[in-house]
Amino acid sequence: MTSPVLICRPGERGEALANALRATGTPVESLEVMALEALPESPAMRIAWLDIDQYDKVIVVSPFAAQCLSNALDRYWPQLPVGIDYYSVGSATAEILFDQLGVRVRIPPAASGQKGAVNEHGENTSEALLSLASLRDVAHQRILLVAGEGGRTLLADTLIERGAQVRRVAVYRRVFQPPSAAMQARLTTGDYQALIVTSGELLEHLAKWCDQAALNQPLIVSSHRLATLAGTLGFCDLKVASGATPAALAATLERSCNPKGADVDQGT
């Protein structure tokens, strides 16, 4: 029996990734080590939603943050105010905002294919989002950043350095748990085809259970930043997808399992 590909993306996005992989005939098992929980609305959140029309830009960092924002604005704004520019790191987040709120969303530019390009690898990252021309000159602009608890501070820090007034609202938390006994056994023995991880926090969490056999197995990540982190954690066989979408991850898995005639994606 073919060993499975292990994924750890929670919720509906995890199901979408699993379905995309299974459509190619790949067996999939979920590690189920993280859940996302919406935070109860605080007075600070309520003020942010009521004052949404006071912001020049709204940046939403993940699909779950987009869902939480959409639910909140539906309660307070039967009709959204105009004149706000919306941004997201990836297309999945943008799709939720468009479907739920009907707003157009700016996302990182595609790879230009030119050496030295800001988003040379075509990745959906905070760095790529910050390369947008409309986010370079933001002096005196008010920006609302909708995210989860913790996580990277690069977006807020950089925009503040560029002169913006940034308010960060955390709308959900990540809840981590150990892998099941069966999944711990797979990580100990390396009994799987590949591991797919698209979050630095998840990668650091999983590394606690990865023995050398697992560190030698293919690890597929969604950015070169994650590949660098993986290297520091001891992972040896790194494959970098062009983004975090199911299609990008499935394509990288296909190249990993069938390398003949295809370029090898090696993290650096």
Side-chain angles (χ1 to χ4, degrees):
M1 184 175 180
T2 304
S3 297
V5 169
L6 302 185
I7 65 173
C8 50
R9 180 175 283 176
E12 293 182 1
R13 294 188 72 218
E15 293 176 9
L17 175 57
N19 290 337
L21 295 173
R22 290 184 180 121
T24 67
T26 303
V28 179
E29 290 187 16
S30 177
L31 287 160
E32 296 182 353
V33 291
M34 184 180 79
L36 303 178
E37 293 183 355
L39 294 170
E41 185 175 82
S42 65
M45 281 188 206
R46 185 171 184 272
I47 291 172
W49 312 146
L50 290 172
D51 289 347
I52 196 76
D53 58 334
Q54 302 299 310
Y55 290 93
D56 300 290
K57 294 175 169 58
V58 175
I59 300 176
V60 188
V61 303
S62 71
F64 197 65
Q67 189 62 61
C68 292
L69 175 64
S70 299
N71 294 340
L73 294 185
D74 278 344
R75 294 196 298 272
Y76 295 109
W77 292 91
Q79 183 173 346
L80 284 179
V82 298
I84 303 172
D85 294 327
Y86 291 84
Y87 296 80
S88 73
V89 173
S91 58
T93 304
E95 289 170 6
I96 292 175
L97 293 172
F98 181 75
D99 291 342
Q100 300 292 324
L101 298 177
V103 296
R104 299 286 181 179
V105 183
R106 303 184 189 192
I107 62 175
S112 69
Q114 298 176 355
K115 185 177 180 180
V118 175
N119 191 22
E120 183 179 348
H121 304 290
E123 298 167 355
N124 294 327
T125 63
S126 296
E127 290 86 348
L129 185 66
L130 288 166
S131 74
L132 289 172
S134 57
L135 288 179
R136 291 176 186 168
D137 185 8
V138 292
H140 310 299
Q141 292 189 20
R142 297 190 67 189
I143 299 177
L144 180 65
L145 182 59
V146 185
E149 286 185 338
R152 304 178 72 198
T153 63
L154 177 68
L155 278 172
D157 292 345
T158 303
L159 293 169
I160 290 170
E161 289 175 1
R162 294 176 180 179
Q165 301 174 43
V166 179
R167 180 172 188 174
R168 189 182 190 277
V169 176
V171 292
Y172 68 92
R173 66 168 63 95
R174 302 168 183 85
V175 181
F176 294 93
Q177 60 190 19
S180 67
M183 291 299 102
Q184 287 188 36
R186 287 199 182 279
L187 292 174
T188 298
T189 60
D191 181 21
Y192 57 88
Q193 287 187 58
L195 173 63
I196 299 178
V197 184
T198 58
S199 158
E201 288 176 307
L202 266 173
L203 187 60
E204 290 178 318
H205 179 66
L206 283 174
K208 302 171 188 175
W209 288 275
C210 290
D211 285 355
Q212 193 60 50
L215 296 176
N216 289 335
Q217 287 291 85
L219 172 66
I220 296 173
V221 294
S222 54
S223 72
H224 280 71
R225 178 184 64 83
L226 283 180
T228 299
L229 173 61
T232 66
L233 293 172
F235 291 91
C236 304
D237 189 359
L238 308 177
K239 317 291 181 182
V240 184
S242 61
T245 65
L249 296 167
T252 303
L253 176 66
E254 175 66 19
R255 291 195 297 272
S256 173
C257 295
N258 300 286
K260 291 183 179 180
D263 293 333
V264 176
D265 292 325
Q266 195 72 30
T268 55

